[in-house]
Amino acid sequence: MAALAQPACSFPTFLGCFRPSPRSFSNIRVHPSRNLSTSMSLQSSEPVATKTDPPTDDDVLLQYVVLRRDLIDKWPLGSVVTQGCHASVSAIWSHKEDPHTLQYCSPDNIDSMHKVTLEVKGETQILNLSEKLLAAGIAHKLWIEHPENFPTCLATKPYPKSMVSPFFKKLKLCK
């Protein structure tokens, strides 16, 4: 039996080939009460942003990354940035089938991702934030450094800003 020829990928991934159709990202709309990923979504009466909606500051898809200030002051900067990168990639990969993540990483948006990098004082604050996000059903990755076994940072999966910004309003921008 002859082998089938594989068409060229328009968007390669590590696990194969992702070929978005013209409709793949054009009308992504998720009702806030629907749970379409492996984690719960925040219930809200506000409509979720879609690609066809006019862009506004409240509807932009973004990812929050939260670092620990105590580690920024003790560790080399590159090491702390690396921790945030680990958490960010893990949060996106863990929710790669989520409609917001698909839209955030789509070929049309890949060069215009929005991230907000914030800071908390230390381990207690990052654990409290993680618990608060879990209680509200906000999907995120709390990155645990090994072999030390302590949390270094966290990152949310991509969300419309209006859905998650209230959880981060009291935090400082990381500088």
Side-chain angles (χ1 to χ4, degrees):
M1 180 179 273
L4 297 175
Q6 294 293 322
C9 290
S10 60
F11 188 63
T13 67
F14 293 112
L15 296 178
C17 185
F18 173 70
R19 291 185 233 12
S21 71
R23 297 181 341 176
S24 292
F25 304 105
S26 62
N27 287 316
I28 294 175
R29 183 176 294 275
V30 178
H31 189 276
S33 66
R34 296 282 184 189
N35 179 4
L36 295 179
S37 71
T38 57
S39 59
M40 298 181 344
S41 62
L42 175 66
Q43 301 225 356
S44 169
S45 59
E46 295 179 347
V48 174
T50 67
K51 188 173 177 182
T52 57
D53 292 337
T56 67
D57 287 340
D58 288 340
D59 293 328
V60 67
L61 286 175
L62 58 79
Q63 182 180 40
Y64 281 97
V65 178
V66 182
L67 306 174
R68 286 176 44 185
R69 170 48 66 182
D70 63 328
L71 297 180
I72 295 168
D73 294 337
K74 289 190 272 187
W75 289 13
L77 181 59
S79 297
V80 178
V81 170
T82 299
Q83 297 295 305
C85 293
H86 291 329
S88 174
V89 170
S90 180
I92 287 174
W93 186 254
S94 297
H95 298 90
K96 62 186 174 284
E97 302 300 326
D98 176 84
H100 293 135
T101 303
L102 288 170
Q103 185 176 354
Y104 186 79
C105 296
S106 72
D108 291 340
N109 295 329
I110 199 76
D111 291 329
S112 60
M113 293 177 171
H114 292 79
K115 284 187 179 47
V116 178
T117 305
L118 305 170
E119 64 181 51
V120 294
K121 289 181 182 178
E123 183 174 351
T124 301
Q125 291 77 20
I126 204 148
L127 290 171
N128 289 342
L129 177 59
S130 180
E131 288 177 19
K132 184 177 172 182
L133 295 173
L134 280 172
I138 301 298
H140 66 284
K141 174 63 178 181
L142 178 63
W143 189 259
I144 306 295
E145 179 65 4
H146 293 288
E148 295 86 353
N149 231 13
F150 62 85
T152 58
C153 59
L154 70 75
T156 64
K157 76 165 193 70
Y159 279 104
K161 182 179 179 183
S162 60
M163 286 181 72
V164 292
S165 63
F167 296 96
F168 299 96
K169 283 192 185 241
K170 293 182 181 179
L171 301 182
K172 292 181 190 178
L173 281 174
C174 187
K175 295 181 183 180

